[in-house]
Amino acid sequence: MNSLRKFFDNIKPNFQEGGKLHAFRSLYDGFETFAFVPNTTAGRCGTHVHDAIDSKRIMSLVVIALVPALLFGMYNVGYQNALAAGQLDNATFWGMFGFGLLAVLPKIIVSYIVGLGIEFTVAQWKNEEIHEGFLVSGIIIPMIVPVNTPLWMLAIATAFAVIFAKEIFGGTGMNIFNVALITRAFLFFSYPSSMTGDDTVWVAQNAIWGLGYDVPDTFSAATPLGEIAAGATTLSTSFCDQVCGFIPGSIGETSVVAIAIGACLLLCTGVASWKTMLSVFVGGACTGWMYNALGLSPLDACQHIVLGGFCFGAVFMATDPVTSARTEGGKWIYGLLIGFVAVTVRVLNPGYPEGMMLAILLMNLFAPLIDYCFVSHNISKRAKRAINK
Amino acid sequence: MALLSKANQEALVGPLNLNNPVVVQVLGICSALAVTAQLEPAIVMGLSVTIITAFSNLIISIIRNTIPNRIRIIVQLVVVAALVTIVSQVLKAFAYDVSVQLSVYVGLIITNCILMGRLEAFAMMNKPWPSFLDGIGNGIGYAIILIIVGFVRELLGAGTLLGFQVIPQWCYDHGYVNNGMMTMPAMSLIIVGCVIWAHRAYNKDLV
């Protein structure tokens, strides 16, 4: 730690006014404040809220919470590849994990380089500090796409989302839509065949550097929700596999167990709101139960929650403090409606087997309205109380 | 009065840039979103609107002193409707494919805000020749934006321009895929937004 601090102190003069690397000052500033909590705080006077940790530390916590799901996702990529090639008995744990690592790592690198590149450029251009919001988006983006998404598509979608969903609204903390979800939505509507088409996108098909196996081009594996949308009434995977995450799907979304570990961390540290998280699950379960009882969906409430991106969305995306509702009562409405819309899209629209992305984006749009209603209700309630006295 | 005096030049050239009906006045957006999925309908639409705006401006300007003020909208609409019908019939006769692609949007030129706006704001209080120039200027200003948006959308959405393949087959063989979102109206709103962004970045006094 001390040597790192010394290193930062040593190179600092280069980036200050008049130094030869002054043009890259935002880059330096970004990395310094990422590594060390800055010792400057907002002024004592005025209306600032003071807290012991700043937003870079909160972001780092979310990234740590995402790691179990990411690691499991890497393993599952290798597992699905071995399963598809029929080589499951020969494959070793580390072989499968290594294959998954090689398949997923380029996506993470591309997402960070493109996203942070744009953020740094904009910060430099506007003479502002570097915003830290992309730390989380950059790791979520590779986790919510199928493993076969080409890197150039990922780069375009990330650039689109960072510019149009974030920078034009004013950067971190100002965006009304979740940036990672906009990336996915862009991919989903721009390149539908690479996101869901033909069910060939969910399993990695080619060996990388001697790890993994070549799968025939004609091999296809549908996600459980894809099977239901195609008209199946029973699933080809067991409930146990669905909970553990040994099913085809986007990289980080499959394992409920890994996501639950992340959820515990978020809830224990108080980073995510338990109200939002709980109400999404309640809304989804009630709606799933309703459609099951009406005979519209062969899946019961439990399966609706376990399958697809429901858990991932509920834990890591719906609770995004920037885009979700901020009033305590509003969080309940916001979460319940996300669960309701997600399951409704799944059941009633055969074109979209998974509705979590659309549900969260839709409710992102309504979150300010929900907040407005709760705040004005509170104002009128208190005004009445004052008048009655 | 000279045919191209200072004021007349302003009426013709102003709408192309600093007083553009689409990117500055933000009029006529609906049709700019609807017909720009390909370049050809965008060009035809731009031309149609140019012709109709120019001639309706001219006609209304000629009869402006005889129009009773209370029913002027009806009179304007009758003139515009007649011109729209003519253009629509000509398109059906000579460019049937494009008129099918444009479908209702040719008929809907009658409700185009640019048209009524120019009639009310310019033709009702100016002489025929400046009104005619103003109509041409506004029509072309509208057409330019349509063509820019149509160009981007067709190039990225279908890889073609005016129906000819522009992006080489080599790219498709190596994994390039057309952007499906470009063919949706939502994306053209974003492109119009980008055009406005670029325009205002260049003309700082508009901000």
Side-chain angles (χ1 to χ4, degrees), chain A residues 244-269:
Chain A
C244 296
F246 296 105
I247 49 173
S250 298
I251 293 165
E253 72 174 16
T254 54
S255 170
V256 178
V257 178
I259 294 169
I261 298 172
C264 287
L265 182 66
L266 288 183
L267 292 178
C268 291
T269 53

Side-chain angles (χ1 to χ4, degrees), chain A residues 6 39 92 108 129-130 157 180 205 271 322 324 331 358 366:
Chain A
K6 264 185 197 148
N39 51 12
T92 60
I108 301 179
E129 262 183 73
I130 294 223
Q205 307 209 329
V271 169
V322 176
S324 72
K331 283 175 182 165
L358 303 170
F366 282 107

Side-chain angles (χ1 to χ4, degrees), chain A residues 152-153 160 164 186 189-191, chain B residues 175 177-181 190 194:
Chain A
W152 68 269
M153 283 184 192
F160 176 87
F164 287 98
F186 181 84
F189 288 109
S190 293
Y191 309 108
Chain B
V177 183
N178 285 329
N179 189 320
M181 201 147 140
I190 293 176
C194 290

Side-chain angles (χ1 to χ4, degrees), chain A residues 62-72 139 143:
Chain A
V62 180
V63 172
I64 292 169
L66 280 160
V67 165
L70 180 65
L71 292 180
F72 183 85
I139 194 107
M143 294 172 75

